[in-house]
Amino acid sequence: MITVKYFGAIAEKTKSQGEEVSISNESLKDLLSNLEEKYQLSDLSFSVAINQKMMPKPYDYSLKSNDVIALLPPFSGG
């Protein structure tokens, strides 16, 4: 089981702050594809963090039990 946390526009679109997802030999790419299918996220821009570490694209990561995935809105500087 992993935890997926949603922030900003993603939380608004999913109508949730997060959810628990069961996995079986899934990659991060697979998870994102499943979430895209479930919530139609393709029109949103976001970054991905795993266990509080930003992930570079193309999301080549094998998910592990107890991972915490965060889908983060774009950051702006000031």
Side-chain angles (χ1 to χ4, degrees):
M1 195 70 88
I2 63 167
T3 301
V4 182
K5 294 184 177 184
Y6 306 123
F7 297 90
I10 298 156
E12 291 173 19
K13 184 137 189 176
T14 62
K15 296 178 176 44
S16 172
Q17 298 280 322
E19 63 184 295
E20 298 284 319
V21 178
S22 60
I23 59 165
S24 56
N25 298 325
E26 234 179 316
S27 71
L28 178 58
K29 236 183 223 186
D30 294 336
L31 173 67
L32 293 175
S33 178
N34 291 340
L35 293 174
E36 160 56 31
E37 187 176 312
K38 185 176 181 180
Y39 298 116
Q40 292 79 44
L41 301 176
S42 63
D43 59 333
L44 299 176
S45 177
F46 59 89
S47 298
V48 177
I50 298 178
N51 302 323
Q52 299 182 350
K53 181 180 177 191
M54 296 302 291
M55 294 299 296
K57 293 182 182 179
Y59 306 130
D60 188 22
Y61 178 83
S62 295
L63 296 170
K64 298 173 193 69
S65 187
N66 298 322
D67 276 344
V68 177
I69 313 301
L71 303 186
L72 306 164
F75 299 104
S76 60

